[in-house]
Amino acid sequence: MYSNGVTHRLIKAGTLVDGNGGQPMKDMAVLVENSTIVQVDHAERIRVPDGAILETSEFPDATLLPGLVDCHTHTNMPGDGTSVDDVGLESYEIHILQGVKQAKLALESGVTTMRDNGGWHRSVFWLKEGIRRDLVAGPRILASGRPITMTGGHCWMMGSVADGVAEVRAAVRELVWEGADFIKVMATGGSTIGSMSERPSYTLEELQAITDEAHRRGRLVGAHTIAQKGIENALDAGVNMLIHCTFVQPDGSIRYDPKVGERIASTDTWVNPTIHVRRGFVDLLEQKRTEEGLTPEEEADLADSVKAVEDRVKVTSQLIKDGAKVIGGSDCGWHVYEFGMFHKELETLVMSGMSHGEALLAGTREAAKALGVSDIVGTLEVGKEADLLLTNGDPTENISHLQNVVGVFKSGIRVK
């Protein structure tokens, strides 16, 4: 039973999108018993058990949707432009407090499930446990804990440096023992100083050892892949998700390789492009140019970022055309990507060729499948958790309506 004595909650809405790809339905309602959806039907056909304590919430002008599923967040990061190298200088306590703030922002924006793709030491595990105990507000979290990385590799300062087959296997075992829901591996460099994003990091043998060890323990593997060779190595190793998947060449340029793209599409590998993390920097500089002007260095940064976004959109567009399983993961917390703005990443999927309805699925049903939690979240269906989002406007017509939040329910409890 709910702590307030309510055992059933009825949520009525003018429009309902159940997350299964069908047409929006009018004058619908969802009946929740404790935290579980028990009916989804036209409002007049809902049957409440005799004698049930019932609380009704009505949203006649809103659209009712599944709670959003963000496949890529970093709750330790502030999203204000601070680099990972500089955030690494902060204390462990600040990392945890930063996570408390970010989790609340995410939940209130309609993200009811999110995957944290890397934080310092055990901080994200503690945040997840705090949310589970209702000590702090936040989405349900799937946590990798520390990403596994080579000496001097991307995010080495988070605490899981491992080299060689024996060490990477041990790193997986340690993370699983600590409570990791999945394993994150840095298959290439990234924005960490000196990590070389245009080159692969781990050898194929090391990646295979990580994947084998994780899969033997029932954990999925997400690989940070910027360089094309890193993408190929990750595919050879059998990872479950390619994160970024940017196709950066040894000379630093971005160039889609159709053969690799077709290979990705022929597998069950999911792709998380993370386009807005760079697009947000473009928006910031363009605003500054309008308000106060840019220095020559900032003008150069803006031009580089515009080109990078264009290149990433082209790559993602081609992956979509080739049939790759592209899903939404924001990378929020990184660079200037603030929490609470998941819709911005889904907008970039529309820019890349998805319809608005497909982009919504990429941030709900398909994202839940990619994380292995589609049995409990991602759609509005009987037996699933009552994670609900209500918006002004229908996101299947315009994905940007996701920012017009009217209400959020997590496990049947209204949080906003």
Side-chain angles (χ1 to χ4, degrees), residues 123-199:
S123 59
V124 183
F125 297 146
W126 299 138
L127 175 63
K128 174 184 174 180
E129 179 64 11
I131 292 171
R132 188 190 70 80
R133 296 190 190 191
D134 289 328
L135 299 176
V136 295
R140 66 178 46 77
I141 291 180
L142 298 167
S144 68
R146 305 171 300 282
I148 300 174
T149 190
M150 62 178 280
T151 296
H154 186 39
C155 295
W156 63 264
M157 69 291 291
M158 290 183 178
S160 269
V161 171
D163 299 302
V165 169
E167 285 190 10
V168 297
R169 280 192 183 276
V172 173
R173 292 170 183 171
E174 181 177 28
L175 286 163
V176 171
W177 179 76
E178 290 178 7
D181 298 296
F182 74 103
I183 299 299
K184 169 81 174 289
V185 56
M186 301 305 193
T188 73
S191 60
T192 299
I193 294 172
S195 66
M196 295 184 290
S197 62
E198 73 280 2
R199 297 184 182 182

Side-chain angles (χ1 to χ4, degrees), residues 16 68 228 278 309 327 342 358 378 409:
L16 181 142
L68 301 177
Q228 179 175 316
R278 193 67 182 266
V309 171
I327 42 84
F342 182 36
E358 289 169 337
F409 292 79

Side-chain angles (χ1 to χ4, degrees), residues 277-288:
V277 70
R278 193 67 182 266
R279 177 176 169 238
F281 189 53
V282 172
D283 294 344
L284 184 69
L285 288 177
E286 287 181 340
Q287 180 180 353
K288 185 179 180 184

Side-chain angles (χ1 to χ4, degrees), residues 21-273:
Q23 292 297 312
M25 296 170 279
K26 298 296 184 181
D27 299 319
M28 298 288 288
V30 172
L31 182 64
V32 178
E33 181 177 316
N34 293 331
S35 66
T36 306
I37 296 172
V38 292
Q39 290 185 54
V40 181
D41 208 335
H42 288 280
E44 69 274 10
R45 293 207 290 260
I46 295 288
R47 294 292 177 263
V48 180
D50 291 341
I53 301 172
L54 182 67
E55 181 176 302
T56 302
S57 301
E58 299 194 34
F59 304 89
D61 300 318
T63 300
L64 177 59
L65 316 154
L68 301 177
V69 180
D70 188 344
C71 290
H72 192 150
T73 69
H74 292 281
T75 52
N76 285 173
M77 297 287 289
D80 62 0
T82 306
S83 71
V84 66
D85 297 273
D86 288 340
V87 174
L89 301 176
E90 297 279 6
S91 70
Y92 190 48
E93 291 81 2
I94 291 297
H95 294 153
I96 293 175
L97 291 171
Q98 186 74 63
V100 170
K101 172 188 175 183
Q102 307 295 42
K104 183 173 184 290
L105 289 172
L107 182 60
E108 291 183 348
S109 73
V111 174
T112 51
T113 299
M114 68 182 184
R115 188 164 82 160
D116 188 290
N117 275 27
W120 275 262
H121 308 293
R122 298 192 185 188
S123 59
V124 183
F125 297 146
W126 299 138
L127 175 63
K128 174 184 174 180
E129 179 64 11
I131 292 171
R132 188 190 70 80
R133 296 190 190 191
D134 289 328
L135 299 176
V136 295
R140 66 178 46 77
I141 291 180
L142 298 167
S144 68
R146 305 171 300 282
I148 300 174
T149 190
M150 62 178 280
T151 296
H154 186 39
C155 295
W156 63 264
M157 69 291 291
M158 290 183 178
S160 269
V161 171
D163 299 302
V165 169
E167 285 190 10
V168 297
R169 280 192 183 276
V172 173
R173 292 170 183 171
E174 181 177 28
L175 286 163
V176 171
W177 179 76
E178 290 178 7
D181 298 296
F182 74 103
I183 299 299
K184 169 81 174 289
V185 56
M186 301 305 193
T188 73
S191 60
T192 299
I193 294 172
S195 66
M196 295 184 290
S197 62
E198 73 280 2
R199 297 184 182 182
S201 297
Y202 282 122
T203 65
L204 175 57
E205 291 75 19
E206 289 169 316
L207 288 176
Q208 286 173 328
I210 290 168
T211 303
D212 173 66
E213 198 65 41
H215 287 174
R216 287 202 300 135
R217 284 161 171 72
R219 302 302 192 271
L220 300 174
V221 178
H224 167 101
T225 52
I226 302 294
Q228 179 175 316
K229 183 58 178 174
I231 295 171
E232 295 177 44
N233 286 346
L235 287 170
D236 289 340
V239 306
N240 304 100
M241 183 183 294
L242 298 170
I243 299 164
H244 308 303
C245 196
T246 315
F247 283 84
V248 168
Q249 305 302 317
D251 63 0
S253 65
I254 296 175
R255 188 169 62 254
Y256 184 74
D257 185 326
K259 291 183 179 179
V260 177
E262 289 167 9
R263 184 180 173 198
I264 293 170
S266 70
T267 69
D268 289 329
T269 311
W270 297 88
V271 178
N272 167 211

